[in-house]
Amino acid sequence: MGIGLNYADHAAEAKMDIPAEQLWFSKAVTSVADPYGIIEAPKVSTALDYEAELVFVIGKRCRHVSRVDARSVIFGYCAGNDVSVRDWQFKTSQFMLGKSFDTHAPFGPWIVTPDEIDPYDRDIRCFVNGERRQSSNTRQLIYNCYDQVAFLSQAMTLEPGDVFFTGTPSGVGAVMKPPRWLKDGDVVRVQIEGIGAIENTVRSE
C-alpha cells in the first residue's frame, strides 16, 4: 500500500492542499524489487519518476488498532522507492496502475526494528547519478505510521508482512521545469538516516 501527498513540503511543491483524509492506493505485489536490482523503464512511457520513502512492515495480525497501540504491531522500517509512471498515474482518478509497474517498489535492504530508532526524526534523501534531488526529514510527515495503522485497520485486517510506503518529500522529477524523468542507465539511491540505503539502476524494458 502507498499513501499520497503525505509530506507538507511535497504538497506545497505540487501546489495541492494538505489532504483532510489519508489518500491511499495499492501497489501490485509484482512491483516488489531487489533493493540493489534494476528499475525497468517501461516501453509505454517516458514519464518515469522516483519517490524516496520511509517504509514500514506489519508484524502482527490486527484490526481496529488505536493510534496509541499502533507501534506494537509494526515489525520494522526500511528505505523504499515508490517508483511512479506519471502519465499512467493520472490516466484515471485511481493511482494504482501508475504505481504498480513491474520492479517499481524496491525496498530494504534491512528491516530496522522499532526499539532501535525513532522513525519521526530521520533525514531522508534521494540521489540520481549522485545528484541530490530530495532532502527532507520524516518530521514533515502529515500522517505518521501510527496514524496510518489506526486509519487502515478500521477498514481491513493488517497481516504480518504487509508493506506500507508512507509518502515522499519534495523534489520529485515531475514538478521540475522541465520535468526530469528517469532514463536508461540512471542510478537512483534512496537513503534514510539510521535505516540504510537502496540503490537501483534504471534499465529499458
Side-chain angles (χ1 to χ4, degrees):
M1 299 285 287
I3 189 172
L5 282 179
N6 198 36
Y7 273 74
D9 53 4
H10 179 48
E13 74 170 354
K15 297 180 171 57
M16 298 181 74
D17 293 334
I18 290 174
E21 296 284 354
Q22 297 178 33
L23 176 62
W24 283 96
F25 54 87
S26 58
K27 290 176 72 73
V29 295
T30 47
S31 65
V32 171
D34 185 328
Y36 300 117
I38 67 163
I39 292 170
E40 284 188 354
K43 294 178 180 179
V44 295
S45 176
T46 58
L48 183 66
D49 209 353
Y50 51 85
E51 292 192 3
E53 304 208 5
L54 173 70
V55 171
F56 70 88
V57 181
I58 291 294
K60 295 179 183 178
R61 190 174 192 270
C62 59
R63 183 83 194 276
H64 295 295
V65 181
S66 70
R67 190 184 182 284
V68 172
D69 293 333
R71 184 178 185 274
S72 69
V73 304
I74 294 175
F75 180 74
Y77 302 92
C78 311
N81 188 347
D82 177 22
V83 183
S84 302
V85 184
R86 296 300 187 191
D87 50 352
W88 280 70
Q89 179 182 348
F90 295 110
K91 276 181 183 287
T92 70
S93 62
Q94 306 299 312
F95 289 175
M96 181 182 175
L97 285 180
K99 299 284 193 171
S100 290
F101 279 63
D102 288 358
T103 74
H104 286 190
F107 67 94
W110 333 106
I111 303 177
V112 181
T113 51
D115 57 307
E116 292 290 336
I117 61 164
D118 171 5
Y120 306 125
D121 188 15
R122 302 286 110 191
D123 290 334
I124 179 170
R125 295 187 174 92
C126 179
F127 299 84
V128 178
N129 302 325
E131 175 193 1
R132 188 171 65 189
R133 297 283 186 88
Q134 293 180 283
S135 182
S136 189
N137 189 283
T138 55
R139 290 190 303 268
Q140 289 276 329
L141 282 165
I142 297 167
Y143 298 106
N144 68 31
C145 302
Y146 308 153
D147 297 323
Q148 295 173 32
V149 167
F151 184 76
L152 285 176
S153 68
Q154 294 178 73
M156 64 187 74
T157 299
L158 306 183
E159 299 278 3
D162 285 349
V163 176
F164 297 86
F165 284 72
T166 63
T168 198
S170 61
V172 297
V175 302
M176 297 181 181
K177 299 187 184 303
R180 300 181 68 183
W181 305 122
L182 296 174
K183 60 186 185 302
D184 184 75
D186 284 347
V187 177
V188 186
R189 180 180 178 85
V190 173
Q191 63 185 49
I192 303 178
E193 176 191 5
I195 293 177
I198 63 174
E199 189 168 284
N200 305 92
T201 301
V202 179
R203 293 288 180 229
S204 295
E205 183 184 4

